[in-house]
Every structure is written in C-alpha cells, then in structure tokens.
Amino acid sequence: MGSEGPPAVTIHVTGFKKFHGVSDNPTETIVSNLQEYMKKNGLPKGLILGSCNILETAGQGALVPLYQTLQSAISGKDSESSNSKRIIWVHFGVNSGATRFAVEHQAVNEATFRCPDEMGWKPQKVPIIPADGGISQTREVE
C-alpha cells in the first residue's frame, strides 16, 4: 500500500492531413509514426498513449472524427486508458512560416481562413462553436 505511485496519465494525439500550401503535413508524419515509435522505445512510467488520429484539414471534415476521439476517451472504450482519470490532449498543427515549435496557450472562437480548406470552405469571422459565444470569445491555458 502506498507504493502504487500517482495515477497514470493518458495522452491522446491528433495531427492533420495536407492542405493548401502544405502538401506534406509534418503533423501527419509525427502522429502516424508515434505509436510504433513508442512501442519500440517505450513510454515513461505512468504514461499511456491513448489514441493517435489524423484529421481532415477541413473545418467540418475534422469535427466528426475529433468528437469520436473525444467521446471514446471520455467513455473509456479504450480499456487501458479507461483506468486513467487524468487525460492530456495534444493537437498538432503546422505553421508553414514558423522556424521552431511553439505551444499555443490561447484559443479564439473564430474561423477565418486565408484559403479554402480541403472541402472548399472559406469562413470569414465565423464562430467555431456558436454556443460558446461570439468570435471574440477566448480560452487560455491556466
């Protein structure tokens, strides 16, 4: 008793397919290879790799698979991760102008695309989640 250590943490990871201006999305490569890499090299103690999913680079095209991923993790369909109450979500994105990795600490409830997504949608100042409020609504990491 007392030697169990802290509860495990489950990490779910998403990346995106190609899109206009980024024909080879590195997030797809990272996420596609992550499970095999972790099997080969091992995970740190107390860490569980939950799901690794590649999403369509389209506003509406990404919603259903993303919600399915979220629901699966919450409902505990993955038996190994269902014992873990601590969950981390890592959503990789790409900035073709960046020279290094950056961790975003704020989300804005606004969809404004410089070019159409892979399904042809090009929103301008549209709330991503209308129920969360207008386009000025933000969420910050605490």
Side-chain angles (χ1 to χ4, degrees):
M1 293 197 342
S3 62
E4 298 89 24
V9 175
T10 300
I11 298 179
H12 297 278
V13 184
T14 61
F16 289 97
K17 293 182 178 179
K18 69 172 182 68
F19 65 98
H20 179 81
V22 180
S23 59
D24 186 20
N25 193 330
T27 71
E28 182 174 12
T29 303
I30 291 168
V31 176
S32 295
N33 294 314
L34 186 59
Q35 286 180 320
E36 189 63 34
Y37 178 85
M38 297 314 287
K39 281 180 191 174
K40 182 190 279 186
N41 295 290
L43 286 161
K45 185 177 180 181
L47 190 65
I48 298 167
L49 183 58
S51 60
C52 291
N53 293 302
I54 307 299
L55 304 173
E56 290 290 334
T57 312
Q60 297 302 315
L63 280 179
V64 171
L66 182 58
Y67 283 139
Q68 288 172 341
T69 299
L70 295 169
Q71 189 60 43
S72 175
I74 292 168
S75 67
K77 289 180 184 172
D78 178 351
S79 61
E80 187 177 7
S81 65
S82 65
N83 296 330
S84 173
K85 300 295 183 205
R86 299 174 359 161
I87 298 173
I88 295 173
W89 298 95
V90 178
H91 302 286
F92 283 108
V94 67
N95 175 348
S96 58
T99 58
R100 60 187 169 91
F101 280 99
V103 176
E104 292 183 356
H105 57 85
Q106 180 181 18
V108 179
N109 192 28
E110 177 184 346
T112 297
F113 296 0
R114 61 177 170 77
C115 56
D117 69 15
E118 291 299 299
M119 295 178 90
W121 188 45
K122 187 179 177 186
Q124 298 297 306
K125 298 188 180 205
V126 174
I128 296 168
I129 303 174
D132 277 2
I135 60 173
S136 62
Q137 180 68 31
T138 61
R139 293 185 185 214
E140 295 191 29
V141 175
E142 296 179 16

